[in-house]
Structures are given as C-alpha cells and as structure tokens.
Amino acid sequence: MLAVDIQSLMQMGGFRLTKWISNNRQVLDTIPESERAHTVVSLDPDDILLCERALGVNWKVNNYEITFKIKIADKPLMRRGILSIVIAIFDPLGLVATVTLRAKVIVQDPCRKKLGWDGVIPQKEHKDWQR
C-alpha cells in the first residue's frame, strides 16, 4: 500500500511520519495506532472520523471537505480595522484567495489615495467591504 511505501522511503531519509489520518479505513488499518492522529486511535471501524486541522484549515475527514473558520470582529471601518481582519485569515494554501484578494484591494485603495490609517474609508470601499 502507498502509505507503507511512503513511510519506508521517509525512514530511509531519517524522517518519521506521524499523526496519520485518512477517510479510507483500509489505509488507516495499515498504519500503527501509535502513528495515527489522536482522533483516530480509539475509533471503531463504524465510527465517524472527526474534523482535523492541517496547514491552517479544517478538514472534515469523512466527506473530504475543507473548511475555514473566519471571525470577522467588530472593527471600525478604517484601513487599520479592515487590515487587522484581513491579515487574521490564515490561508497558506491560497484556497480562499479570491475572497482575501478582494479584501486586500479594499485596503490598498485608501492607501493610494493617501488616506490615514484611522481615517474613515471612502463610501465606495465601505460598500465593497459590506458586500
């Protein structure tokens, strides 16, 4: 099985892979319990696998869904407030870049217009942010 081959190759290089998880029960059965993610160790074959965090995103293992938790704090609608919300979104894989890129443009426009960090943003950017 591929998982066993990967473990062997990594061991040859001096690496040990741990915290394995899969939505395929046959794959999990080939991995020793000590090497599995903690949420998998005590599961029966019929149990539903939980949500795991990997690379800053939430992975719902059974239905192979990747989700994000984004808290939009009640910040003032100024460059500083918007930027603090935008940079709090951790997306190392770029999966929500279509959303975050648009928000970053909203932060850049007042900068181009030489508006201060704590000044009220123009109506256009305000509407774009609300959308």
Side-chain angles (χ1 to χ4, degrees), residues 25 39 43-50 62:
R25 184 55 63 180
T39 54
L43 293 178
D44 293 328
D46 297 330
D47 283 348
I48 295 173
L49 296 173
L50 304 174
N62 279 345

Side-chain angles (χ1 to χ4, degrees), residues 82-115:
I82 293 172
L83 182 63
S84 71
I85 293 169
V86 172
I87 63 172
I89 300 170
F90 183 67
D91 180 27
L93 302 174
L95 298 174
V96 290
T98 56
V99 175
T100 56
L101 184 60
R102 188 168 176 87
K104 289 174 184 178
V105 168
I106 293 170
V107 173
Q108 286 179 349
D109 285 342
C111 184
R112 286 188 192 108
K113 295 174 184 172
K114 308 263 191 246
L115 298 176

Side-chain angles (χ1 to χ4, degrees), residues 14 24 26 28 38 50 52 61 65 67 72-74 77 85 103 105 111 113 116 119:
N24 185 315
Q26 290 174 330
L28 281 177
H38 297 293
L50 304 174
E52 277 292 314
V61 179
E65 256 180 37
T67 61
I72 299 182
D74 189 22
L77 282 177
I85 293 169
V105 168
C111 184
K113 295 174 184 172

Side-chain angles (χ1 to χ4, degrees), residues 4 6-7 16 23 40 58 69 87 92 95-96 101 103 118-119 122 130:
V4 175
I6 290 172
Q7 281 182 315
R16 181 174 152 239
N23 59 349
V40 179
N58 297 313
K69 283 188 177 181
I87 63 172
L95 298 174
V96 290
L101 184 60
D118 295 317
Q130 292 297 328

Side-chain angles (χ1 to χ4, degrees), residues 13-59:
F15 298 97
R16 181 174 152 239
L17 294 179
T18 61
K19 299 183 182 179
W20 282 80
I21 190 161
S22 174
N23 59 349
N24 185 315
R25 184 55 63 180
Q26 290 174 330
V27 171
L28 281 177
D29 289 341
T30 65
I31 307 297
E33 283 192 22
S34 62
E35 304 298 315
R36 296 180 194 170
H38 297 293
T39 54
V40 179
V41 172
S42 62
L43 293 178
D44 293 328
D46 297 330
D47 283 348
I48 295 173
L49 296 173
L50 304 174
C51 185
E52 277 292 314
R53 286 186 49 82
L55 298 176
V57 297
N58 297 313
W59 174 33

